[in-house]
Amino acid sequence: MKLVGILMNKRIEFYTEASMNKKKIESLWHFYSVYSISLAITGFEDLNIKKKNNLMKDLIESQADGDFDFDACNKLMDFVKTDMKVIETAIEILNIKKEAGEIFGDTYRSGMFAVNRYD
Amino acid sequence: MTDLIPINQVFSQIALKKLAYFGGSTLGNDVYYMKEFLDMMINIIGEEKLVKLLKDDNSPNKAVTNRIGNSWADFKKQLIKFDRKVDETKRAYDTLDTNDFKKKDTPNYKQFLENAENISMIKPDLYALFVFVISCTSIQKMNIRNEDFKIFQQKGYRATGELDKRKVGDAPKPVVEA
């Protein structure tokens, strides 16, 4: 799951970069993309998905109208604080798999005597 | 987990590029590349095999993956519907002058946002399939070059200009005036 870890790390980087540049919508989108991946890794269930999706919809709508909805933004930012824990758990799971050197199976056929390196 | 499904090197490189574009973009445009990646991987793995793997999955997220496997026909219909929404967003994104959303007061940007509204930010089923497809193929151990993320951020998906095809040492062709 190295590739998923790379994607998550990169998106977290973009999230921090966008929030530093005051691009709130982009930063929140990056964050919740990582969060969605984390849900898929941990198997947790989120009961507030609809609420969060609606808040994001309001936020994008307000940006399109030129009148930024700070209330929706603040509500989403409150969710971010708690949702961060799910991402932490997912990263821990990935790190544990990495440390344990978990083997999912043979990547290449047993008859192969040489493979190319991709990294 | 069963043996990893080996992916041809050419397809792996294409898949990694798509994943880099997915990682570097937002507001529905990322989902477009994720959808492209998923379509490609479903064809490579084979639909029947994927459904079987989804049904037999034993990962922590098995509640979702098993459900997708058991109701694959419905899930596929949802994916086709979703395709239309994502295509609209991508079309609007391509009309933007800058890919970093710097010009926010243009009509094109407004159109892009109006299309992005229709795409949900959190999609557990789609992401579950996405993570599952990566975890059961050989690309899970590969690396994405940093440049791929950066190229998309700085230049987007547009042409970088015509290449100068002169050989080293050739003199430039004189411009003939009409």
Side-chain angles (χ1 to χ4, degrees):
Chain A
M1 297 288 266
K2 179 183 162 191
L3 190 63
V4 179
I6 291 170
L7 275 174
M8 284 177 74
N9 281 334
K10 208 67 203 177
R11 288 211 92 146
I12 291 170
E13 231 174 75
F14 289 142
Y15 156 68
T16 40
E17 200 181 309
S19 53
M20 296 274 267
N21 292 326
K22 293 176 186 171
K23 291 179 179 174
K24 300 229 175 201
I25 294 178
E26 286 88 25
S27 72
L28 283 167
W29 194 284
H30 275 301
F31 178 84
Y32 276 103
S33 177
V34 181
Y35 176 73
S36 304
I37 296 174
S38 305
L39 285 181
I41 293 170
T42 54
F44 292 162
E45 199 183 348
D46 186 351
L47 300 173
N48 288 320
I49 288 178
K50 208 170 180 185
K51 203 172 180 183
K52 287 169 193 171
N53 281 339
N54 284 339
L55 282 171
M56 192 59 177
K57 196 179 171 186
D58 291 347
L59 211 57
I60 296 173
E61 212 174 273
S62 69
Q63 175 92 331
D65 297 340
D67 182 25
F68 192 75
D69 188 349
F70 284 98
D71 282 348
C73 184
N74 289 338
K75 279 177 191 167
L76 261 178
M77 293 300 273
D78 285 340
F79 279 122
V80 166
K81 287 171 200 164
T82 48
D83 294 341
M84 196 77 88
K85 284 170 193 163
V86 179
I87 296 178
E88 272 177 34
T89 316
I91 290 172
E92 270 171 30
I93 291 173
L94 288 179
N95 285 341
I96 290 166
K97 279 184 179 174
K98 198 176 161 188
E99 278 171 22
E102 190 175 299
I103 299 164
F104 290 96
D106 289 336
T107 313
Y108 303 100
R109 287 180 203 134
S110 51
M112 284 181 82
F113 52 85
V115 291
N116 290 327
R117 282 191 59 159
Y118 298 105
D119 50 351
Chain B
M1 184 59 106
T2 53
D3 286 354
L4 293 181
I5 300 163
I7 305 288
N8 179 314
Q9 197 177 349
V10 176
F11 287 125
S12 302
Q13 293 305 320
I14 297 169
L16 291 179
K17 283 262 181 211
K18 286 189 194 300
L19 288 177
Y21 298 149
F22 157 74
S25 51
T26 53
L27 292 170
N29 196 40
D30 54 343
V31 191
Y32 173 82
Y33 289 110
M34 187 215 258
K35 185 74 200 9
E36 274 200 338
F37 167 78
L38 281 175
D39 286 343
M40 197 179 91
M41 297 307 273
I42 290 170
N43 281 317
I44 292 172
I45 297 168
E47 215 174 296
E48 278 178 27
K49 194 175 178 181
L50 182 68
V51 172
K52 193 178 175 299
L53 287 171
L54 281 165
K55 281 178 185 172
D56 299 341
D57 184 35
N58 205 20
S59 66
N61 201 28
K62 66 180 175 189
V64 181
T65 49
N66 292 351
R67 180 167 46 80
I68 294 172
N70 289 325
S71 57
W72 179 253
D74 295 336
F75 187 74
K76 219 177 147 188
K77 277 180 199 164
Q78 279 178 23
L79 282 182
I80 292 165
K81 271 185 196 170
F82 186 64
D83 257 351
R84 285 180 212 141
K85 284 183 187 174
V86 173
D87 279 345
E88 279 171 16
T89 317
K90 176 75 175 94
R91 236 175 285 143
Y93 177 82
D94 287 341
T95 58
L96 294 179
D97 299 331
T98 55
N99 296 58
D100 53 1
F101 308 130
K102 272 180 185 167
K103 290 184 181 173
K104 289 192 174 179
D105 49 351
T106 58
N108 288 343
Y109 183 70
K110 201 177 170 190
Q111 182 62 43
F112 169 64
L113 288 179
E114 278 168 9
N115 288 327
E117 271 173 43
N118 300 324
I119 294 172
S120 309
M121 179 174 62
I122 307 169
K123 291 167 285 298
D125 290 5
L126 197 69
Y127 275 88
L129 183 64
F130 174 69
V131 171
F132 179 79
V133 162
I134 293 178
S135 68
C136 70
T137 54
S138 60
I139 63 164
Q140 66 150 284
K141 291 182 180 178
M142 292 181 186
N143 201 356
I144 302 177
R145 291 183 307 166
N146 260 339
E147 295 92 80
D148 289 343
F149 289 110
K150 281 176 192 164
I151 285 171
F152 191 78
Q153 270 209 319
Q154 287 162 6
K155 288 183 179 166
Y157 206 37
R158 52 194 66 190
T160 47
E162 202 176 319
L163 285 171
D164 188 2
K165 291 174 185 169
R166 279 187 298 123
K167 287 177 188 169
V168 179
D170 276 3
K173 284 179 188 170
V175 181
V176 182
E177 286 179 16

